[in-house]
Amino acid sequence: MHIVDGKTVDAGKRTILARFASFLCDPFVSAWRHRDLIDAILRRELAERFKGSVAGWVWAITAPLLSLIVYTVAFSGGPVQLPGGSASGSNFDYALFIFGGLIAFNFFTEMAYRAPSLLHEYAHFIKQTMFPAEMLPIISTLRATAYATIGLILMLLAQLVLTGTLHLTVLLLPLWYVPFVAFLIGLTWTLSAAGAFTRDTAYLMMTVAPLLMFATPVFFSTDSFSPTLKLVFYLNLLTGFIEVLRDIVVFGRLPDPLVCLWVMFCSLATFYFGFWFFGKQRDSIADVI
């Protein structure tokens, strides 16, 4: 039973279409309702990330900057052919090629490592209050988004400074960013709910994530692969996200429409599956963490 505009409505009498529409809207309605809580905890998490450090947020810039410098020095000795046979427009394109892949992959691994223990970090809130635990994966992903954004800004600045150009396709970056963040929120909902019941989820992620780098096109491209092998690599959901990012920033071209559709499908499917899965476990989480 629900109260809508002062009237009692039996949810069981709603049409399937109405229930489906409600399910699609629920994550956004809930996030908006708890926006003040999200803002407060997110601010605290960002402030505590470098608490006690003299340099503070300088470290958030230093790590990706040093990585970018190392890749630039290592891979800018002369004109090279990019993986997949693409022509290199400058001596620095391969460094940016790798850096773009690492931005997306590191964004993923930060969530994969933290998500299984996320609810345990806030167990005192979840156990003692009517705390909306489903907001924690959103907050955690937004925190990681802040650091990924720093890396992305550095990549764009490097593209401009080192190559002397910034492709107009970078205006399409929100079309990559929003689906990727939604994908990671859904993944975090799933892993955090599973991690509440068993520590094996954390050990699984610590084992799988490093190995996944070799099955993800971080240092290579799938362009030169056979159609069958390329399809196999696209079963790794990160592949599409990484290739779309590189197309937009490094190559300055429109991504393959089929890849974009696959990325959108993966994003929506993971987001709503995670929301559904977390909702199914919500009532039991406080009893097990």
Side-chain angles (χ1 to χ4, degrees):
M1 304 292 285
H2 298 277
I3 305 298
V4 180
D5 295 331
K7 299 179 180 179
T8 302
V9 178
D10 187 347
K13 292 182 179 180
R14 293 188 299 170
T15 65
I16 294 178
L17 183 61
R19 279 182 283 174
F20 181 67
S22 176
F23 172 74
L24 294 180
C25 295
D26 279 349
F28 306 100
V29 172
S30 182
W32 178 254
R33 185 185 306 124
H34 297 102
R35 62 189 181 279
D36 292 335
L37 177 67
I38 292 174
D39 179 68
I41 298 180
L42 179 59
R43 287 176 180 273
R44 191 190 72 173
E45 288 217 346
L46 290 173
E48 289 185 350
R49 177 68 178 260
F50 300 105
K51 187 176 181 179
S53 167
V54 175
W57 273 79
V58 172
W59 293 114
I61 301 173
T62 301
L65 181 60
L66 288 177
S67 297
L68 182 58
I69 292 173
V70 169
Y71 298 139
T72 301
V73 172
F75 300 112
S76 62
V80 296
Q81 187 178 51
L82 293 178
S86 302
S88 175
S90 82
N91 297 347
F92 305 103
D93 279 353
Y94 189 53
L96 295 171
F97 177 92
I98 294 175
F99 193 64
L102 284 172
I103 288 175
F105 188 80
N106 290 340
F107 195 179
F108 159 78
T109 53
E110 180 169 355
M111 303 314 305
Y113 287 144
R114 190 188 184 198
S117 60
L118 180 61
L119 299 183
H120 294 279
E121 293 179 26
Y122 286 86
H124 56 294
F125 285 128
I126 297 173
K127 285 177 173 291
Q128 298 176 13
T129 64
M130 295 295 293
F131 189 82
E134 67 275 12
M135 294 298 104
L136 291 175
I138 296 177
I139 295 167
S140 179
T141 306
L142 291 177
R143 185 188 80 151
T145 300
Y147 306 117
T149 301
I150 292 173
L152 190 57
I153 291 173
L154 287 174
M155 183 181 180
L156 294 176
L157 290 175
Q159 175 84 19
L160 181 60
V161 173
L162 298 178
T163 69
T165 184
L166 199 60
H167 304 296
L168 286 177
T169 48
V170 298
L171 296 175
L172 299 176
L173 270 175
L175 299 181
W176 169 81
Y177 226 146
V178 173
F180 195 39
V181 170
F183 166 76
L184 292 177
I185 290 175
L187 179 71
T188 307
W189 267 325
T190 303
L191 293 177
S192 61
F197 292 89
T198 172
R199 297 283 185 175
D200 292 334
T201 307
Y203 299 133
L204 177 64
M205 288 299 101
M206 287 188 289
T207 302
V208 171
L211 298 177
L212 193 60
M213 175 175 281
F214 299 100
T216 303
V218 174
F219 300 100
F220 59 89
S221 170
T222 62
D223 289 347
S224 59
F225 294 169
S226 67
T228 301
L229 185 57
K230 193 171 184 178
L231 184 61
V232 170
F233 267 91
Y234 272 103
L235 294 178
N236 175 356
L237 304 187
L238 292 175
T239 297
F241 289 107
I242 288 177
E243 293 202 340
V244 169
L245 176 61
R246 284 171 172 163
D247 283 342
I248 291 174
V249 178
V250 179
F251 298 114
R253 64 192 182 196
L254 295 177
D256 187 324
L258 290 178
V259 175
C260 290
L261 287 174
W262 173 242
V263 162
M264 290 300 298
F265 171 78
C266 293
S267 175
L268 290 172
T270 305
F271 180 81
Y272 282 107
F273 173 81
F275 179 70
W276 170 82
F277 183 76
F278 194 100
K280 295 287 286 186
Q281 315 303 325
R282 184 187 294 111
D283 293 339
S284 304
I285 285 174
D287 298 327
V288 296
I289 59 174

